[in-house]
Every structure is written in structure tokens, then in C-alpha cells.
Amino acid sequence: MRFVKTLSIMLCIIVIGLTFSACSESYKEAFIYVELESKPSTLDPQVAHSKEELTVVRSLFDTLLRFDDSGNAVPSAAESFEKNGTTYTFKLRKDAIWKDETPVTANDFVFAFRRAVDPVTSAPYANTLFAIENAEKIHSGEAPLNSLGVTAKDDYTLVIKLSKDDAEFEKVLTSAITMPCNEKFFNQCKGKYGLTIDTTNSNGSYYVRKWTKETKYLIRLAKNLEYTGPFEANSMRIYFTCSDKEAYPMLEHDNTDLIYISNLEYPKIATDFTVNTTEDVCYTMYLSKRLDPKLREALLTSVWSDSYKNKLDNTSKTADTLYPPVLSANAPKVTEYIKYDPQKALDTYSELVKKGFSVKDITIKYPNTPTCTEIAKSIAGHWQQTLSCFINIEEMSEGAAVSALEFGNYDIIIAPRYSASGTISAYNSSLGYEGQNSLDISRELYSNHLAYPLFYSTTNIAAGEKIENLESSIQNGILDVSMLIKKQ
């Protein structure tokens, strides 16, 4: 009897233990629903550009290094690595495979890096790789692809040689542009790589199970059960949607677990839900080089932040440098080079007017968001008041403003710059500079009165009540959904 009683107790303990274990890991069966701000147009890591595109490809592909939940870059597709001077040697995991069970090899990374710096690819963050030997020359058409300092010593040993040391390089190796690309699969796609479910590959925590674009936009990811790396998916399915529905009701009625929200929505939603904010955007006013240098000087030395700072929403603040806080750039403040001096500005502008100069054909363009509209009107109004200078104003969509800036189609424009890749070098590229540091870039733009930072804004991600681990799942405003936990 004593044996039977003991056995019964042991069985009870085992059952209770198994039940507790099953309950404690029930989140691994969860489905997570994420509402995006815009629809990804590509899932090709080398050309992904928007926050939304970078978020989705982060779930599909494994990089050599990856951010852990403490924000440290640790081996992922690589098993280990060492640095000797300016040379990195990576040992890859031998059990890593693509979705078709083809092994992931060093040659997949060689091909990916070559694609990234090939000018034909037009990769938006190609400049983040310019520390690699010959990368910049290849990108400018001065050297062949096979001269890139990325080589496969064998199937599972990758060597990367830098032409110069780069303190951000290990961070760069966590970014989408360095994700592997299987050359055979790429060639089979015949120009449609990353554009459809059948032409999108995966070696990461998830793979694409469904992608609909026509009616209700949806990207459905399924957990990759063959993934053996250190970043195993915490949930079974991820649903990415994009609609025009209001954020609060979607969270309140349990239709959505995570949602990107605007700054205007922030106050109401932050009262009842967890919201992660990243200061990763800087709205700057740019003046065209075509404008008279004296006019640029007069306009910018009469910009007064007090005239518009009360127009900012709760998550924005006046900017003092060209770089958003998330980048922690060692950049000079605008007031070190452009000082508010309305009398000097008036004298300078008056001299131009005496010479017959007119601003009747000059326009300030700006995004039609409430904040940008108020700021543009405040600045234009302040110019009228202090200089008797009447500048035309023209609103447009934020995308159109960014495009106008890129193509130089403006006299004066207010436009955002994003730190989507999380690196200063990529941000410098968005400013139109390659290979220069933030100090020299700022000095040149300020000294020539070509740019004036106005305010910092944020990327805001709101989470429903069941979501855990949100903060550590976001790096530089990019969400890593594999790290999220949804309570069941």
C-alpha cells in the first residue's frame, strides 16, 4: 500500500508539473496581430526601406549578428566570430537552412553583400557597408563586384575585410541589408525577388504563409519549425495588416495586439495602453542652394523656435541638432552656427530689396500634418512680422515632401529624416553625404544656411494588454516580433 500511495503522489506531481509547464509556455501557440502604418511593397532585405518593410524582413531572415533583449549585438546566423585588426572572421551555424531546406552557407552572405553595394540594386542603405574593402568604389562603378572584401573561406567560414575601422559595423551587421540571399533562388525569381509569396525566401524565425494585396492587405507569417538559431519565435503566427481604422477601438476590442500610432493619437492611447516611443525622426527646414546666399542667411537668422514650440504635440520637442536622439550623434547644435538675430536679418534682407530682389516666386513646402502645418504658418508669419518678407506656402503629403527633397524640387521645404537603419552613416546618406562625419556635415549645412532643424518626433508602437516584452523587442524603432510574448 505504501508503494501504491507513493507512486500515486509521484504521478500527481508529474501531472501537475506537466500542466504548469504547458500553461507557462502556452504563449508559444499564440497568434499576434500587428497593424502597420503603411503597406510594405517589398520583402527584399537589400532594398527594404520603410519601418514596415524592415519590421517584416526582420522576422524572415537571420543576420550574422542580432540584438538580444539587452540591446547587445550577439551571434545569430553566425555561431561565433573574431576580429583581428580590420578583419572579421565568422563561423556560421552548420544546421541553418533555407525554407526549401537548402543549407545557408557563407556564399549566401557573399552574394547578399555584393548585391547590396552593386549600383544596379539601388539599395537605400548601401553606404552603411562602405567601411568594407572596395565597397564604395564598387558602388560608384570604379571597381568590379568580385573585389569586395567579403569572401567565403569555406561553406561555413565568412571573412569580411574593412578598409577602415567602423565603430558601428557590428551594429550594421544586425541590419536588413546584410541579410543573406541565396543566388540560385534569387535568379529563379527573374526580377521579382521579395515581391510575392513565392519569390520571398526565409532563413529566420518565420516564413511567409500568405500575402494578399488586393482587398484586405495581409501578410501572415508562420513559425519556422526548422529554425535552430538562438532567436526562436515566441509565437506561432504573426498577422501584419494595414487599414484605415482608428487605433484605439482596434486595441480596445482586442482586434489588434500592436499598432503603430500617430503623435496625435498618443495622449488618448497612452492613458490606457502601453506605448513604446522612439525619438527617431528629425523634421528639418531645408533651403535650396539656388536661393541667394544672403536671403538664406536672412531667413534662417530670423527663425525663432519660441514662435512655434507651442505648436508641437505631446511627443515632439524642438530640435537642436540635425540628428534624432536615438542616434546619439556627436553633432553640433544649430545655435552654435546660426544665431537668432532679427535686426541683422532685417538689415540683410533690406539690402536685397533695395537691389530689386523679390520673393514673390519663392515657396515654402511642408507636409500636411497638423503639426507641420502650424509650424510652417508660424515661421512664414514670423518672417512677415520681422522682415516684411512674404513667402508663399504650399502643403503636400509627407511622402511628396520627402520626394521633393530627394529630387531637389523645392525652394524651401520642411521634411522628415528617419533613422530607420539605426546607424549614423545611413542617416548621413539620407542627408546626401557619404563618408563624412556628423560634425563636418552639420558645419557645412549650417555655415551655408542650407538647413535648420525644427523638431524631433517619434515612432510610437502601442500594445494591447496581453503583450509582454515590448520594450526589449524594439531596436531603433524597428520591431522584432520573434521576441514578443502574448499571454494566453
Side-chain angles (χ1 to χ4, degrees), residues 77-272:
E79 188 175 65
S80 63
F81 75 98
E82 61 180 29
K83 183 185 180 188
N84 185 8
T86 55
T87 299
Y88 284 89
T89 302
F90 295 88
K91 293 293 184 181
L92 305 187
R93 290 188 292 104
K94 294 182 179 180
D95 55 359
I97 58 175
W98 292 102
K99 70 175 184 179
D100 63 359
E101 299 186 358
T102 300
V104 177
T105 69
N107 283 312
D108 295 326
F109 285 94
V110 172
F111 182 67
F113 277 77
R114 288 181 179 180
R115 275 197 73 220
V117 298
D118 187 341
V120 173
T121 305
S122 297
Y125 299 117
N127 70 300
T128 63
L129 303 178
F130 283 179
I132 299 175
E133 189 176 86
N134 290 325
E136 191 168 5
K137 289 182 179 179
I138 293 170
H139 192 258
S140 61
E142 300 174 10
L145 279 175
N146 60 10
S147 67
L148 185 67
V150 181
T151 56
K153 187 175 181 180
D154 56 50
D155 282 350
Y156 298 103
T157 306
L158 182 74
V159 178
I160 300 179
K161 294 182 178 180
L162 306 185
S163 59
K164 55 186 176 182
D165 212 355
D166 182 355
E168 291 190 296
F169 191 67
E170 290 176 21
K171 179 188 290 187
V172 170
L173 293 178
T174 70
S175 63
I177 198 169
T178 68
M179 291 172 177
C181 182
N182 182 272
E183 185 173 5
K184 181 180 178 181
F185 181 90
F186 176 84
N187 290 333
Q188 289 173 344
C189 294
K190 298 180 179 179
K192 295 184 178 181
Y193 183 66
L195 298 179
T196 69
I197 185 172
D198 293 328
T199 60
T200 299
N201 213 347
S202 172
N203 74 314
S205 308
Y206 292 92
Y207 66 93
V208 181
R209 188 64 182 270
K210 186 176 183 180
W211 189 359
T212 59
K213 308 176 186 180
E214 292 75 19
T215 53
K216 181 181 178 181
Y217 189 90
L218 169 69
I219 298 177
R220 188 176 79 194
L221 307 186
K223 182 176 180 177
N224 182 1
L225 299 177
E226 303 301 321
Y227 176 73
T228 56
F231 289 87
E232 177 188 356
N234 279 332
S235 301
M236 190 59 66
R237 296 281 188 276
I238 304 293
Y239 290 79
F240 290 106
T241 58
C242 185
S243 67
D244 56 0
K245 297 179 181 178
E246 291 186 22
Y248 194 95
M250 294 181 76
L251 289 167
E252 184 180 31
H253 299 301
D254 207 24
N255 296 324
T256 299
D257 295 302
L258 294 112
I259 187 168
Y260 286 81
I261 63 171
S262 69
N263 291 344
L264 290 177
E265 294 172 304
Y266 177 87
K268 180 179 179 181
I269 292 177
T271 302
D272 299 319

Side-chain angles (χ1 to χ4, degrees), residues 371-388:
T371 299
C372 286
T373 298
E374 290 295 327
I375 288 178
K377 290 180 178 179
S378 294
I379 291 174
H382 193 65
W383 284 337
Q384 292 178 19
Q385 182 180 359
T386 58
L387 306 178
S388 295

